[in-house]
Amino acid sequence: MLIIDKELFVGKGFHRECYQHPQDHTKCLKITFKQPKKGGKKGVAKALKREVDQYKILNKRITDWSMLSNYYGEQETNLGKCSVFELIRDDNGQVSRSLEQYLLEPNLTETELIQIKQCIPLLKAYLIKNNIITQKILARNIVFQRSNTPFLVIIDDIGNSDFLPLANYVKTVGEKKINRIFSRFIKHLKNTYITERSPKKVNEMLRSL
Ligand SMILES: Nc1ncnc2c1ncn2[C@@H]1O[C@H](COP(=O)(O)OP(=O)(O)OP(=O)(O)O)[C@@H](O)[C@H]1O
Ligand SMILES: [Mg+2]
């Protein structure tokens, strides 16, 4: 059993806490701490199953994990059962920060902003090329990986919630679905992060998408 020290804490979403793997700096451990009201336990279990199912499909099919954090199964820890994922780090070894953190950062540099803008169509092309079906794409579920070749990397909300998940198997259906999900992602960026308090350059970049 793995022992997770609170010092290994990386971040927290609405349902899960994320820790660095104590024995492998390339991996992280995610533990569910809260069941959402809507759908309750069943809803969370379903979403996790969808995630695992999608990763099973992807593991057979894709070799390029540059814009999606890989999944390595389950692991028992002192905090309970965790899901093991690839931990995304920048070139300098720091854990990559979320796109949301960058967009809300008052000191975001011009270079970072340009790179983020360039990474958005690359992410879309990557999802379509590999037929990767996500649920909603949200800025808090993507990290910006800073390096010589920066990427936006999806870290959460993988899976297809359709009753008949045809998009997983038929690429043309998958592409249509990814286009729809991506349009909603761009709308979400504009609706959420274009604000009066945001730096002018962030608002301008988002308007130009
Ligand atoms: N693979 C990863 N690499 C780097 N950081 C990560 C990774 N996975 C999670 N994190 C960090 O931990 C936070 C919480 O993880 P995650 O988004 O998986 O939790 P969640 O509760 O499922 O989220 P949500 O509220 O969207 O349901 C993220 O916002 C991010 O800052
Ligand atoms: Mg999340």
Side-chain angles (χ1 to χ4, degrees), residues 15-72:
H15 316 111
R16 300 192 284 194
E17 278 179 351
C18 177
Y19 294 89
Q20 286 182 48
H21 191 296
Q23 293 164 359
D24 184 344
H25 74 287
T26 67
K27 295 191 174 109
C28 62
L29 299 159
K30 293 192 190 182
I31 179 142
T32 305
F33 65 91
K34 187 179 159 209
Q35 316 293 352
K37 284 184 191 128
K38 200 182 148 207
K41 259 190 181 174
K42 266 191 193 160
V44 172
K46 266 191 188 168
L48 289 177
K49 187 175 178 309
R50 279 200 294 269
E51 188 173 69
V52 172
D53 286 348
Q54 182 71 202
Y55 272 109
K56 274 186 194 155
I57 296 170
L58 293 177
N59 265 306
K60 283 189 203 138
R61 206 180 56 213
I62 73 171
T63 49
D64 176 5
W65 292 90
S66 56
M67 292 179 238
L68 175 63
S69 94
N70 206 339
Y71 168 72
Y72 304 107

Side-chain angles (χ1 to χ4, degrees), residues 130-174:
N130 295 290
N131 201 41
I132 296 169
I133 311 297
T134 59
Q135 303 194 48
K136 266 184 206 156
I137 306 179
L138 299 174
R140 68 165 195 264
N141 290 329
I142 295 178
V143 294
F144 176 55
Q145 184 178 36
R146 286 190 303 183
S147 76
N148 284 337
T149 45
F151 288 123
L152 288 172
V153 183
I154 295 188
I155 51 145
D156 187 17
D157 263 354
I158 285 296
N160 188 344
S161 53
D162 293 349
F163 181 62
L164 287 173
L166 205 59
N168 289 343
Y169 308 98
V170 184
K171 210 162 183 253
T172 48
V173 179

